[in-house]
Amino acid sequence: MAEEKKSPSAEVSEDKEKQNNEEVKEEKEEEKEEEKKEEKEKPKEEEKKDKPKEKKEDKEKEVEVPKQFKDIVEKIEKMSVVELADLVSVLEKRFNVSAVAPAATGGNGGGNNEEKTQVDVMLKETGDQKINVIKAIKEISGLGLKEAKALVDEAPSAVKKDVKREEAEEMKKKLEEVGATVALE
């Protein structure tokens, strides 16, 4: 009965091999668990992706544009915010209407002697210093250079709408300093 004695280095290498085998098994199990989780999450993600599409389609279905207005609506959809504001301004002037919803009169028969708290800053004329006016418009409105130039080129136009009177007075002062003609409406 002679027992085979293993050297200490052989025992260490066997221990390492067992440990490596166990680690490999654990890694494989973890990978399988992750794959299962991913498979479960995929249908949920796909459902989430499908839902917004359905909502968007529903919104598009809700508003049906008559054939006679399709060209106009398509053109409006392609306009920038500045262009839309200018369009509204032109339509208001052309048809002598206001795009602002009428406020409740509060029982005084509509006769309101109070000063308006919200006003529109209207650029009437640019004057001789057009570049400085563009810079001032850009600073005041937060528009980009291209939009500010378009707004100045289309004068008379609204620089900002529904602004507090004090703020509007400051804007008017800045614009008049660079030679523009401004009105508060």
Side-chain angles (χ1 to χ4, degrees):
M1 290 196 19
E3 284 186 29
E4 240 181 79
K5 267 199 165 177
K6 295 182 182 174
S7 69
S9 62
E11 287 179 10
V12 170
S13 64
E14 281 182 15
D15 288 340
K16 284 184 180 178
E17 192 175 315
K18 286 180 184 178
Q19 199 174 20
N20 284 341
N21 287 340
E22 288 175 9
E23 287 176 4
V24 169
K25 286 180 184 178
E26 287 176 9
E27 286 176 5
K28 286 181 181 178
E29 288 176 10
E30 287 176 5
E31 287 176 4
K32 287 180 183 178
E33 287 177 20
E34 285 179 26
E35 287 176 4
K36 287 179 184 178
K37 286 181 184 178
E38 287 176 4
E39 288 177 12
K40 288 179 183 178
E41 290 175 4
K42 280 183 184 177
K44 290 179 184 177
E45 289 175 6
E46 289 174 4
E47 288 175 13
K48 288 179 184 177
K49 289 179 184 175
D50 291 342
K51 286 182 182 179
K53 288 179 185 175
E54 291 171 3
K55 288 181 182 179
K56 188 174 182 180
E57 289 171 4
D58 290 343
K59 287 181 182 178
E60 289 175 2
K61 290 178 185 176
E62 287 178 20
V63 179
E64 192 169 317
V65 179
K67 291 178 185 177
Q68 62 199 30
F69 301 124
K70 282 191 179 188
D71 293 344
I72 297 170
V73 172
E74 287 174 4
K75 288 179 182 177
I76 290 173
E77 287 175 337
K78 294 176 184 174
M79 290 182 171
S80 70
V81 175
V82 173
E83 291 171 327
L84 288 171
D86 291 341
L87 174 63
V88 169
S89 179
V90 168
L91 292 174
E92 287 175 339
K93 290 175 186 172
R94 171 82 169 124
F95 298 106
N96 197 24
V97 294
S98 175
V100 179
T105 58
N108 63 359
N112 191 356
N113 294 332
E114 294 179 21
E115 191 173 315
K116 290 171 70 176
T117 57
Q118 300 284 326
V119 295
D120 297 342
V121 180
M122 300 295 293
L123 176 66
K124 297 296 182 180
E125 293 179 20
T126 59
D128 295 334
Q129 300 178 16
K130 185 176 176 181
I131 293 173
N132 290 336
V133 173
I134 293 171
K135 288 178 182 177
I137 295 285
K138 186 175 178 249
E139 177 186 327
I140 289 169
S141 65
L143 296 172
L145 182 62
K146 184 178 179 182
E147 290 84 6
K149 183 182 181 306
L151 193 141
V152 169
D153 288 341
E154 296 171 2
S157 57
V159 176
K160 270 201 164 185
K161 292 190 174 194
D162 295 328
V163 182
K164 291 182 182 177
R165 182 163 286 283
E166 302 83 31
E167 197 176 332
E169 291 289 345
E170 290 175 25
M171 291 178 192
K172 180 179 179 182
K173 183 179 175 185
K174 284 182 182 178
L175 288 168
E176 287 178 343
E177 285 175 357
V178 294
T181 304
V182 181
L184 303 179
E185 299 177 354

